[in-house]
Structure formats: structure tokens, C-alpha cells
Amino acid sequence: MSDYTEVERVRVYCGETDRHDGRPIYELLVEEARKQGAAGATVLRGVLGFGADSLIHTSKILRLSEDLPMIVEIVDRPERINAILPALEPLVSRGLITRERLTARFHCPILVRDVMAADVATVGPDAPLPEVVRLLLTRGVKAVPVVAADGAVLGLITGGDLLTRGGMHARLSLQDRLPAEEQEGELSRLAGQTARDVMTSPAVTVRDRTSLQAAAKLMSKKGLKRLPVLSEAGRLIGIVSRADILRAAAEVAPAAESLPRFTAGLFQSARDVMFKAVPTARRGDPLPDVVRKLVNSPLRRVVVVDEEGRVLGLVLDSDLLDRCGPSQKSGLIQALFSRRKTTESCPLGTAGDVMQKDVYTTLEDAPLMAVLQKMVATQVKRLVVVDDDNHLLGIVDRDALLRVIAEA
């Protein structure tokens, strides 16, 4: 019985033809319940009944035009029902609303097919690598499945594959920040290679009916950020990313206590999962020193702090490329992307010259649900963790949140 939790069931009894602003009331109730974060809603259609008007409504074949009774049923935690009802009640101009206490055990896993991207670009194994990169940049995606003529998935090309096996220097998200000549240089380094030469093979895939938690476990175990999705027949029908899973978790967070198997871990705090080895710099630190710290950290960012450790700003490689002038870019590109990791030709300046001052932060005791929702809302991959006085404590990233979901 420990898996059972106290819930309330709300039932709204209305007629099939009852309208609010020209739309069926039962449709509006379901839409509003979803908007308010309800765990779920169901519409039931009656076959016979009468209400306060004493008219009998039936689904018998000769009376199909009659106004049949409809029931909208919503089940959630009592505090969620209290929050949802004020938005639902104004929609019910006639009918009946009931509430009753129950205990329930939820079995409602979210599946990969519910959140995957279905419009997937693919390439053949013999596709020239420069064309693959152009496709990725045009579509604004970070990976492309490699598919055989019979539809079988042979592998997957990611930005990491292009860097490690293709010889590209800058990651995909930075390509549009490079000077035109450097962009052409990146493509020329890939010339003569095909998709087959750099793809990760065999591709790690999931079926469309796999639960999101199972997909998160697979990603976390294999160190992956996206998985091709196959139908039961083995045909490619989509791709699911780490971002897709995190967005889904953020959307169900209001009902997370009722859905423990997917988001239970998100009741931890930021301090429980934050990355503490954060590279820092002072506002006046020379740019070569900042770049050296940036390229040597897996976080790919440096937090700028004052003498007492309070957060002043953030330096990212994209900021460096955006803020440096054309004459400085060649030296900066060499410092950021050279295999030798040299900063000898890095442009002059300080951390304060290039840092972004608007830093997204979260408090150390913030629940991970709130951290995740802020990440999704701001579209950032990492949040800086601070105390009440804005002192730097660590960083929480997407990978840590995915790991929490996988291990819940």
C-alpha cells in the first residue's frame, strides 16, 4: 500500500451540446486541466440519462440528435485539485461538479513516441561529409541518422563525431560565428570523407514504446545526447534527445508527486548534484589565462567573480567569438580550437571585456524541478548555483538532471 497516495476525483456532468464561447464545455475543461498541470483528464459519453431539466437523453438510433450526457473526470492530488478548480468552474455554466477522496496508484509512463521529433533528416552512408554538415546547419540539428537504401539505420553522425573523427575544429553551434573564410576552411577539412567514415556504428536506438525513464537510463549509461527511434517493425520514425526528455520532465513536474517513477529524483536540491570544480576568473584577468581555463574545463565556461567570490559574469567561447573584432578572431580561433591548446596568439583583453553580465543562477536549496523548469524556460544548458549572497557554489547542467531522472 506504500505506493498508493491520497487523491481527489473531480467529475463535471454536462451535456454534449453545452457550449462556452461557442465551444463544447467538455473540450474546454480538458484543455484547461492540461494547461493547469493536472495529472490527467478523461471524457466519458453516456448512453442514457436525465438531469435537472428531467429530459431523457439516449443514444438509441432514432434519437441520435439528442443532447447526450457527458462526464469529464480529473484525478490528482488534493492540493492540485484546489489549484485547478478555480480555472475550471467558470467554464461550467450548467451541469454538476462533484469531488470525492480516493487513494490511487499511478501507472502512466511517458513514452518516447510522446516526445520524439518525427521530422528527421537522414543521409546515406556515401553522402559527402561537407553536405552532411550543411544539412545539419540548415536544419539546426546536432545529429543525423545514416540510413541504408532498405531503411535500416546504420549509424548516427553527431557534432562530436565531426570533431573527433572528421577533423572539424569548431563545434556545430559555433560555425555561424566563424568568419566566412574559416567556415569554408572547416568544410574543406571534411572534403573526401563520407558519412560512413565518421558515423558512430552501430547506432544505439530505442523503440517508440520505450518509457522516457528507460531512454534516460540508456543515454546516461552510454554517454549519449540523442537516440534514433524505431517502430516495432524496426523502421526509423523519429529521434529523441536529452532536451526532449528534460522538457517532458519539466511539463509533468506539477504532478510529479503523483508520478514518482519518472520524476521522483527531482525532489532533490541543486546542492545534491552540482558540479563544484568550476573554473573562475577575476574581472581584470588577462584573456589568454581565461581562454586556457575555458578550453581545459568540460563545462566550457568560466565564471567571473569578485574578491569575495560573488558572481559578476560568465565567459563562454561563443561570447569570445562574438565580442572580438575581425583582427582578433584568427588568434582566438587558434587558441580555442587548436589541437595544441596554445594561447600564444590569443587576443589581448581581460575577462571583464568579454563576459556576459546577465547570468542565470539558482539557489543551492532550490528543488531540481525548479532548476529544470528554469533551464527549459531560459533555454540554457547550465545554471550557476549561488547562496543567498550570490557567492559561487557550483554549476548544475543538463547531464546531471538526466542522470537524476535515469536513477529515480
Side-chain angles (χ1 to χ4, degrees), residues 75-256:
V75 178
D76 211 324
R77 291 175 289 117
E79 59 269 30
R80 289 299 308 152
I81 294 297
N82 288 334
I84 292 166
L85 270 180
L88 301 183
E89 288 170 342
L91 302 176
V92 184
S93 56
R94 56 180 295 178
L96 176 69
I97 300 177
T98 66
R99 295 177 68 171
E100 56 186 317
R101 290 288 180 106
L102 303 168
T103 58
R105 182 176 182 178
F106 287 81
H107 294 282
C108 39
I110 302 175
L111 305 180
V112 164
R113 64 186 301 171
D114 299 326
V115 304
M116 70 181 186
D119 182 20
V120 183
T122 64
V123 297
D126 297 320
L129 211 49
E131 291 184 11
V132 174
V133 172
R134 290 190 184 97
L135 174 64
L136 290 167
L137 294 175
T138 301
R139 294 290 295 266
V141 294
K142 302 292 181 62
V144 59
V146 182
V147 179
D150 62 359
V153 178
L154 301 177
L156 186 71
I157 296 178
T158 67
D161 295 324
L162 295 170
L163 294 172
T164 57
R165 289 196 284 271
M168 197 165 74
H169 288 177
R171 65 181 188 272
L172 286 170
S173 61
L174 295 178
Q175 290 295 317
D176 62 349
R177 289 179 162 89
L178 301 179
E181 63 274 14
E182 184 61 30
Q183 292 182 34
E184 288 301 317
E186 288 279 70
L187 293 178
S188 67
R189 279 187 279 274
L190 305 177
Q193 301 180 82
T194 66
R196 190 194 309 272
D197 297 327
V198 303
M199 68 182 183
T200 296
S201 180
V204 180
T205 62
V206 290
R207 298 287 180 169
D208 62 331
R209 294 186 179 276
T210 302
S211 72
L212 278 197
Q213 187 176 26
K217 286 183 179 180
L218 185 58
M219 283 186 187
S220 185
K221 179 181 179 181
K222 299 287 187 180
L224 303 172
K225 296 179 182 178
R226 51 195 58 82
L227 300 167
V229 182
L230 307 182
S231 67
E232 290 302 313
R235 184 173 62 87
L236 178 71
I237 58 172
I239 193 164
V240 63
S241 69
R242 178 180 65 183
D244 295 328
I245 294 176
L246 295 179
R247 272 195 301 271
E251 289 175 2
V252 303

Side-chain angles (χ1 to χ4, degrees), residues 316-337:
L316 294 82
D317 48 11
S318 56
D319 293 329
L320 289 167
L321 289 169
D322 287 343
R323 288 169 169 76
C324 286
S327 62
Q328 299 175 306
K329 271 200 167 61
S330 59
L332 180 59
I333 289 169
Q334 182 179 353
L336 289 173
F337 309 127

Side-chain angles (χ1 to χ4, degrees), residues 369-380:
M369 284 191 298
V371 172
L372 173 57
Q373 289 174 321
K374 188 170 185 177
M375 276 189 186
V376 172
T378 57
Q379 297 184 339
V380 298

